[in-house]
Amino acid sequence: MPDPDPARVALLGCGDIAGQYLTELARHPAAVEVTTCADLDVERARARATEFGIAKVALPAEALADESVDIVVNLTPPVAHAGVSLEILRAGKHLYSEKPLATTLADGVALLDEAGSRGLRVGCAPDSFLSGPIQQAREAVDAGRIGRPVAAFAAFAERSVESWHPNPAFFFAPGGGPVLDMGPYYLTALVALLGPAEWVSAQGDTLVPERMSRHGGPLVASTPTHVSGTVGFASGALATVIFSFDVHHTHLPRIEVYGTDGSLGLPDPNRYQGAVELVAAGGEWAELPPPGGLEIHRGYGVVELAQALRQDRPHRASGALALHVLDVMEGLLRSSGERVAMTTSEPLELAA
Ligand SMILES: NC(=O)c1ccc[n+]([C@@H]2O[C@H](COP(=O)([O-])OP(=O)(O)OC[C@H]3O[C@@H](n4cnc5c(N)ncnc54)[C@H](O)[C@@H]3O)[C@@H](O)[C@H]2O)c1
């Protein structure tokens, strides 16, 4: 039997991240063919289409009306995700969204309901938990190499976004912030390693309310820029998490998992590469051998979704997983874990 045609894909939103998607999707021509670049700003769509040799340039409505398109990839800014994704589903297309799935849990639930009622798939970034290092760490956990996981640590703490992104304002507005922006990579990895979360508790604040963008324009944060919390997993494991746009430099690990018989150290979950380290109780840290298998990059989740559709099996970077991670993130932002006031702060004299 001849191979079926690849799934036809339209990108909706052709800004900064679109190039990484177009590069990865071009590596999998048997699974996907990008036929259309669409954007509210049609000149951005045209620029990407020219750069990557994509046939059609369109406004969003034109892309959604195109009957030949099977999957629409939503690469708009986070605050636009829910509305744009709903339009994609209402146009009868399978959806793959950049993270977060939506900026509120209620909007995320509405999206999955819409897709369910129409028999459509929802895939969502991040797909980095499918990469070699995180899958290798999962295998180590499943094989019992650190015993029973009892605790974990995850931290994103940087002050870089204002200096590299061409349009950084959305990172500092509601719907942005370090939890919704970077939390998906760390929390999806933790859920992949430890299973579903059951509760969260957190404290957050806007510690550095003002900063300059790389173009010199002022950025005023109107959403928490530093959040630290605890995630309680159904397994009983407890994870300490820190998400911050307020820290210039740190030696904090990205992700560690602590078991009854040892510990695992993971590389940056937003990079798809890097060494996993393991130490048995009483032993020395050692890198695991590089994982074999397919090397993936950002956008692979769309390829895997197309393959799953063809094979009539569930896809892995799923809407249900993204919704669970959104639930955790909203919990971290909503939580005002009980503050217990100290009774011994004054008078406390601290000699220099
Ligand atoms: N930039 C990165 O390094 C990066 C990395 C990982 C994930 N992401 C995610 O990718 C998404 C896009 O980020 P970006 O950095 O490319 O943003 P961007 O601002 O550079 O690009 C967004 C594009 O979407 C278009 N757009 C906005 N509203 C639209 C609408 N309603 N319909 C159609 N097009 C619309 C804009 O014109 C713009 O071209 C975000 O969800 C972000 O979290 C970005």
Side-chain angles (χ1 to χ4, degrees), residues 26-79:
R27 293 176 66 229
H28 301 275
V32 287
E33 178 193 0
V34 180
T35 60
T36 311
C37 282
D39 200 297
L40 277 181
D41 178 344
V42 86
E43 287 316 312
R44 287 197 187 182
R46 194 179 317 285
R48 288 297 187 194
T50 305
E51 189 183 348
F52 287 88
I54 307 301
K56 293 186 202 166
V57 172
L59 284 165
E62 293 165 351
L64 297 188
D66 183 342
E67 288 190 358
S68 72
V69 169
D70 303 308
I71 299 174
V72 178
V73 181
N74 182 354
L75 302 181
T76 63
V79 285

Side-chain angles (χ1 to χ4, degrees), residues 124-326:
C124 188
D127 47 15
S128 49
F129 75 101
L130 300 175
S131 66
I134 300 179
Q135 289 298 309
Q136 189 180 32
R138 165 77 190 263
E139 281 168 27
V141 169
D142 288 353
R145 295 188 63 186
I146 58 167
R148 179 172 58 86
V150 291
F153 177 86
F156 172 87
E158 288 185 14
R159 258 197 76 173
S160 56
V161 66
E162 62 262 38
S163 56
W164 66 262
H165 197 278
N167 326 294
F170 75 79
F171 290 103
F172 299 96
V179 174
L180 287 170
D181 182 50
M182 295 309 290
Y185 300 108
Y186 294 78
L187 296 167
T188 305
L190 286 181
V191 170
L193 294 166
L194 300 173
E198 223 168 42
W199 57 265
V200 303
S201 173
Q203 296 281 344
D205 212 336
T206 308
L207 302 181
V208 183
E210 290 174 23
R211 55 194 89 206
M212 284 294 187
S213 79
R214 84 183 220 209
H215 307 296
L219 292 164
V220 181
S222 51
T223 194
T225 50
H226 183 105
V227 174
S228 60
T230 305
V231 182
F233 287 84
S235 68
L238 290 181
T240 302
V241 298
I242 300 173
F243 299 114
S244 181
F245 282 165
D246 295 339
V247 175
H248 280 294
H249 303 285
T250 173
H251 284 304
L252 289 170
R254 297 284 179 167
I255 301 187
E256 290 184 341
V257 182
Y258 313 110
T260 49
D261 300 333
S263 300
L264 264 179
L266 279 78
D268 184 339
N270 183 20
R271 294 278 168 248
Y272 300 81
Q273 285 171 349
V276 176
E277 293 179 282
L278 190 143
V279 56
E284 301 279 337
W285 284 102
E287 287 186 8
L288 297 181
L294 182 69
E295 191 180 299
I296 69 164
H297 305 274
R298 200 182 314 277
Y300 178 75
V302 182
V303 175
E304 205 272 335
L305 169 61
Q307 291 167 338
L309 273 166
R310 181 185 291 181
Q311 295 159 7
D312 196 22
R313 61 164 173 81
H315 55 288
R316 296 173 74 194
S318 70
L321 174 58
L323 186 70
H324 180 60
V325 168
L326 179 56

